[in-house]
């Protein structure tokens, strides 16, 4: 991880991850982070002996009802009906399992649910795209995730901070019916006007790179909905993914990423906005803006147990989402479902190929709304 702010702190080597994902990282202070991954030139690519576990569900009170659980079926997958077509990934059981893995991936990499210094007793929190990790979820703590998610972040936050009233919003009603008493979910679109009755101490969004036509306008809504001194945080992957060394431009994976990039632009929701987040935060008036960079290797090419274990999560996350997003985005470019499905095996092979030194850069950006307004 790298940090961009008024000061720069040297990165330290990552400790071995043991036990529950991310627990060994929880002791890291804000200035420490994993170093940039290096290639494992000893060909020690099988040392990924860690199970993906610890994904728990929390049961308590009920806050969603079955009347809004309606979906649309395309190519054997189901998608959200509310604002149909705005989010490119499905919302079926396969996608929900992927989102659980993605939640575990971020927890493992960051070692915590958030990086913003929000204090021990936040009150109102908003999570946007909580049910999808790509939709919008709203808590009394504000969390902007993506337009399709399972509510894991909001539920975990509500458990960790019993002082907070957490609201999660999303385009799909796929969150669990049983949640902590200080957590609730609503079907909502983060691109609409925000008409909440309360202001939020903290607003959070994760994996939203594919969700918005104009991300900066959504960030403006977050700014306007914060209490003075409140924090807004975005956690997102940089697209297209990058390589250590020269990119293999003839590979199926590289060509697939370029095609997805073009398709997303054609759909009017480009995926390449994440590097602009820090600048947009500053232009909107956020203070003390911090950007931290993480690296998610897609397979076991990177040296060290930490990155090899992370690659299990990252690879599973990508492979499980490959078909759903490809059918939607490449379909917009005229590909038939049969053409998409015929092309993807070569992409999957590249994702698993340890000679492909591909990784997903991840940026975490957060800033504080000024306490006194000019």
């Amino acid at each position: 991880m790298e940090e961009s702010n008024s000061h720069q702190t040297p990165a330290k080597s990552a400790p071995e991850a043991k036990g529950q994902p991310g627990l060994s990282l929880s002791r890291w202070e804000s200035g420490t982070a994993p170093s940039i991954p290096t290639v494992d030139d000893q060909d020690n690519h099988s040392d990924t002996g860690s199970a993906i576990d610890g994904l728990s569900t929390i049961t308590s009170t009920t806050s969603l009802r079955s009347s809004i659980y309606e979906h649309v079926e395309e190519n054997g997958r189901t998608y959200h009906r509310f604002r149909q077509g705005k989010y490119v990934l499905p919302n079926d059981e396969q996608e929900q399992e992927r989102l659980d893995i993605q939640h575990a991936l971020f927890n493992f990499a960051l070692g915590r649910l958030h990086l913003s210094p929000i204090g021990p007793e936040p009150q109102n929190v908003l999570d946007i795209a909580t049910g999808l990790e790509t939709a919008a979820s709203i808590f009394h703590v504000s969390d902007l995730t993506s337009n399709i998610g399972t509510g894991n972040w909001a539920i975990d936050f509500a458990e960790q901070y019993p002082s907070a009233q957490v609201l999660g919003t999303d385009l799909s009603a796929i969150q669990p019916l049983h949640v902590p008493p200080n957590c609730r979910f609503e079907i909502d679109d983060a691109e609409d006007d925000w008409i909440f009755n309360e202001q939020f101490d903290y607003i959070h969004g994760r994996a939203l790179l594919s969700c918005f036509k104009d991300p900066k306008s959504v960030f403006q809504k977050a700014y306007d909905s914060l209490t003075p001194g409140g924090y807004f945080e975005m956690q997102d992957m940089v697209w297209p993914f990058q390589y250590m060394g020269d990119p293999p431009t003839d590979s199926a994976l590289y060509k697939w990423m370029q095609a997805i990039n073009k398709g997303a632009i054609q759909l009017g929701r480009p995926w390449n906005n994440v590097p602009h987040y820090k600048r947009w935060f500053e232009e909107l008036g956020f203070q003390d803006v911090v950007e931290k960079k993480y690296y998610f290797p897609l397979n076991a090419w990177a040296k060290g147990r930490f990155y090899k274990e992370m690659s299990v999560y990252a690879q599973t996350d990508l492979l499980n989402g490959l078909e759903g997003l490809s059918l939607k985005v490449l379909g917009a470019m005229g590909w038939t479902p049969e053409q998409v499905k015929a092309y993807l095996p070569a992409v999957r092979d590249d994702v698993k190929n340890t000679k492909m030194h591909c990784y997903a850069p991840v940026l975490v950006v957060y800033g504080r709304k000024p306490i006194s307004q000019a």
Side-chain angles (χ1 to χ4, degrees):
M1 181 202 78
E2 295 174 345
E3 178 176 346
S4 173
N5 198 353
S6 58
H7 65 279
Q8 193 77 15
T9 305
K12 296 182 180 179
S13 298
E16 282 196 355
K18 300 178 181 179
Q20 293 290 336
L23 289 187
S24 65
L25 311 184
S26 63
R27 66 177 181 269
W28 293 5
E29 300 300 329
S30 60
T32 65
S35 57
I36 297 175
T38 57
V39 176
D40 186 349
D41 53 12
Q42 301 300 313
D43 198 31
N44 184 22
H45 301 314
S46 62
D47 183 22
T48 57
S50 61
I52 298 179
D53 57 9
L55 304 179
S56 61
T57 56
I58 303 165
T59 61
S60 184
T61 60
T62 300
S63 62
L64 281 177
R65 294 292 179 262
S66 60
S67 61
I68 54 176
Y69 278 67
E70 296 183 4
H71 311 298
V72 178
E73 184 172 343
E74 292 182 23
N75 304 314
R77 305 296 298 272
T78 63
Y79 297 80
H80 62 94
R81 181 178 294 277
F82 179 67
R83 302 293 166 81
Q84 182 178 344
K86 292 191 73 171
Y87 180 65
V88 298
L89 281 162
N91 62 6
D92 50 24
E93 183 175 356
Q94 180 179 339
E95 175 63 9
Q96 292 173 47
E97 291 175 355
R98 184 192 72 82
L99 291 170
D100 287 342
I101 293 168
Q102 184 179 86
H103 180 63
L105 168 62
F106 274 84
N107 283 353
F108 181 88
L110 275 62
R112 63 199 75 180
L113 292 173
H114 61 88
L115 300 187
S116 298
I118 59 176
E121 294 186 345
Q123 300 300 306
N124 293 330
V125 176
L126 173 65
D127 179 27
I128 62 173
T130 191
L132 303 167
E133 303 255 41
T134 46
S137 34
I138 302 169
F139 297 74
H140 277 189
V141 176
S142 176
D143 169 32
L144 302 165
T145 46
S146 58
N147 287 329
I148 173 171
T150 55
N152 278 332
W153 185 95
I155 291 170
D156 287 355
F157 191 99
E159 279 218 325
Q160 182 174 335
Y161 294 99
S163 65
Q165 293 297 315
V166 182
L167 171 61
T169 62
D170 209 308
L171 293 179
S172 284
I174 61 174
Q175 301 78 21
L177 290 175
H178 302 288
V179 300
N182 60 327
C183 176
R184 77 182 193 273
F185 296 95
E186 295 179 1
I187 303 302
D188 203 355
D189 185 346
E191 292 185 299
D192 285 348
D193 291 338
W194 291 17
I195 53 174
F196 307 118
N197 293 326
E198 65 270 70
Q199 296 285 98
F200 300 101
D201 307 319
Y202 175 55
I203 300 177
H204 169 268
R206 177 195 286 172
L208 297 175
L209 76 161
S210 65
C211 296
F212 306 132
K213 286 185 175 181
D214 181 7
K216 188 178 180 181
S217 69
V218 177
F219 297 175
Q220 178 70 66
K221 294 179 175 69
Y223 182 93
D224 295 340
S225 298
L226 283 170
T227 59
Y231 279 89
F232 175 42
E233 178 171 337
M234 287 293 299
Q235 305 171 2
D236 235 330
M237 296 181 181
V238 175
W239 184 267
F241 297 159
Q242 299 176 9
Y243 294 84
M244 297 296 290
D246 295 332
T249 54
D250 290 333
S251 68
L253 176 59
Y254 181 89
K255 292 177 180 179
W256 173 80
M257 288 192 290
Q258 298 304 309
I260 292 293
N261 203 44
K262 292 179 181 178
I265 293 172
Q266 187 166 318
L267 287 169
R269 298 178 185 276
W271 291 17
N272 55 2
N273 287 311
V274 177
H276 305 305
Y277 283 4
K278 182 175 185 287
R279 173 170 57 84
W280 288 342
F281 272 48
E282 293 169 339
E283 290 174 353
L284 290 171
F286 285 100
Q287 295 180 341
D288 303 324
V289 178
V290 173
E291 177 187 87
K292 295 190 176 184
K293 187 173 184 179
Y294 294 79
Y295 307 86
F296 292 5
L298 296 189
N299 60 53
W301 63 262
K303 183 182 296 185
R305 180 176 175 181
F306 173 75
Y307 279 122
K308 291 186 185 302
E309 189 165 351
M310 184 190 293
S311 74
V312 176
Y313 293 91
Q315 182 179 116
T316 306
D317 181 23
L318 177 58
L319 291 179
N320 285 6
L322 201 62
E323 181 182 273
L325 72 89
S326 297
L327 286 169
K328 201 75 172 180
V329 178
L330 298 182
M333 298 178 63
W335 291 42
T336 66
E338 293 74 23
Q339 288 174 322
V340 172
K341 293 178 180 180
Y343 186 70
L344 292 184
V347 179
R348 293 190 182 96
D349 288 344
D350 282 354
V351 171
K352 299 175 184 177
N353 185 355
T354 55
K355 296 186 183 301
M356 295 279 182
H357 304 155
C358 188
Y359 65 93
V362 174
L363 297 181
V364 178
V365 181
Y366 63 84
R368 178 176 58 84
K369 184 174 182 176
I371 294 176
S372 59
Q373 303 296 308

